[in-house]
Amino acid sequence: MATPFKADESLDIDGFQKAVAFMGDAGADGVTITGVLGESNRITDKEREVLITAAVHTAKAADRPFRICVGTSHTGTAATVALSQMAQELGADAVMVTPAKEATPASDDVLISLYARVAAGCPGLPIVLQDHPASTQVHMPPPLLARICSEVATVACIKLESLPTPGRIATLHNLWTSMPPAGDCTILTGLGALYGGFDMEQSTHGFMTGFAFPEILTAMNNAAQRGDMEMAHAIYARYLPLLVFEQQPGVAVRKELYRQRGLIKSAHVRHPGNNISPVLKTALEAQISRSLPGIDITKPLPSALFE
């Protein structure tokens, strides 16, 4: 989830809650807040508390279970644990944790202890292990991922964003036959679903990414889970240009999509982040018209699009 800011860079809590509720109406099972898309490196701890409280309150108003996952990664383990405890105390359903780069690479044991300490500090709280070396410069090979899952029972999900994703997913599934997770654990596709069609072929369980059209990802996953890979790939191919356009560096394009969907009033990116340029904004509008001609994107996309 994006964190909306007003032009004066204060939080837009009304827009945030509207966006959270919309994602539920659009078919998502939950949202992740205060992650990279949420500009977690640009918010204060007090703002984080306000955002978590608002998201949990909005989720409780849903007419079905709607989970709130909170990004709690920090460069220090103690701070990661403290942020995770804050999220748990405020009612979050899960936390997402990714390791931070050190001056000298952390050993496997150190990385395992990161997740073990979060688990010990937050009993019973599911942990999403985010494997995203592009942003962290921390490379975790599949054997290490399997070991973490086998030793830390509350690691309930791997958000696998390390390339090449299909091969790593297949390797992880193979490792799990001899080193199974200590608890239930799923593999979800990230990276803006850019490689989603190929990840689904390796039996992923869904998506965990901030693409502004969750209806498309839900339709892809529903087709894959019922074994209709031809339909899953057809949907993927149809909307791939929109996925590619949105996956440009930074969060400006995605926030502009939130604005165009009527979820937030301003697509402002907090300083020192770059805001969307007029040229890019025009190009985005043109791509939406090509991908979703005649569709009112301020409402959840009609299911007939995916039949």
Side-chain angles (χ1 to χ4, degrees):
M1 285 290 300
T3 300
F5 299 109
K6 300 176 184 178
D8 64 0
E9 297 210 341
S10 61
L11 289 177
D12 175 11
I13 292 300
D14 290 340
F16 178 70
Q17 290 184 294
K18 182 178 181 180
V20 171
F22 183 90
M23 294 302 163
D25 293 340
D29 294 319
V31 294
T32 301
I33 65 171
T34 65
V36 174
L37 173 60
E39 299 180 70
S40 60
N41 59 327
R42 300 177 187 137
I43 60 175
T44 67
D45 286 351
K46 179 60 179 177
E47 289 173 329
R48 173 185 292 271
E49 181 178 345
V50 170
L51 289 166
I52 297 171
T53 301
V56 170
H57 176 77
T58 303
K60 287 181 178 178
D63 58 3
R64 62 184 175 87
F66 190 75
R67 299 174 180 84
I68 302 298
C69 178
V70 178
T72 57
S73 303
H74 195 282
T75 52
T77 300
T80 300
V81 172
L83 291 175
S84 299
Q85 290 172 331
M86 174 201 290
Q88 186 174 35
E89 290 166 2
L90 292 173
D93 298 289
V95 292
M96 182 173 69
V97 175
T98 188
K101 180 183 178 181
E102 291 293 323
T104 56
S107 67
D108 287 1
D109 287 343
V110 167
L111 293 175
I112 292 169
S113 70
L114 164 64
Y115 292 94
R117 291 189 185 193
V118 173
C122 304
L125 183 67
I127 300 169
V128 176
L129 186 165
Q130 183 182 24
D131 178 24
H132 189 227
S135 65
T136 65
Q137 300 301 304
V138 178
H139 297 269
M140 296 186 283
L144 174 57
L145 297 177
R147 186 180 164 196
I148 293 172
C149 295
S150 72
E151 295 187 20
V152 185
T154 51
V155 172
C157 171
I158 295 177
K159 184 181 181 183
L160 202 145
E161 302 183 285
S162 49
L163 301 172
T165 51
R168 289 173 64 86
I169 293 165
T171 299
L172 188 55
H173 277 304
N174 289 335
L175 287 167
W176 277 352
T177 61
S178 58
M179 190 190 305
D184 292 334
C185 191
T186 59
I187 301 174
L188 300 180
T189 287
L191 294 177
L194 199 57
Y195 308 102
F198 309 104
D199 290 355
M200 291 186 298
E201 293 177 346
Q202 303 304 324
S203 301
T204 49
H205 302 92
F207 295 90
M208 188 178 191
T209 190
F211 182 52
F213 293 91
E215 307 97 316
I216 295 173
L217 303 184
T218 298
M220 288 169 56
N221 186 57
N222 287 344
Q225 296 304 320
R226 64 175 182 264
D228 190 352
M229 290 306 301
E230 183 176 350
M231 175 59 78
H233 270 289
I235 298 170
Y236 175 57
R238 188 187 314 158
Y239 297 106
L240 186 56
L242 190 56
L243 286 163
V244 170
F245 196 103
E246 197 203 55
Q247 189 58 13
Q248 296 181 68
V251 300
V253 171
R254 197 165 286 174
K255 295 189 87 166
E256 174 60 19
L257 272 173
Y258 272 49
R259 190 193 68 78
Q260 292 198 24
R261 296 210 76 177
L263 307 181
I264 59 179
K265 294 181 179 179
S266 170
H268 185 79
V269 179
R270 200 173 242 187
H271 191 273
N274 292 318
N275 286 288
I276 193 167
S277 68
V279 170
L280 201 58
K281 184 177 177 180
T282 298
L284 175 60
E285 291 170 349
Q287 185 53 55
I288 293 172
S289 295
R290 287 190 291 268
S291 295
L292 295 159
I295 302 297
D296 181 0
I297 65 170
T298 65
K299 299 177 181 178
L301 302 182
S303 58
L305 284 176
F306 313 114
E307 296 174 352

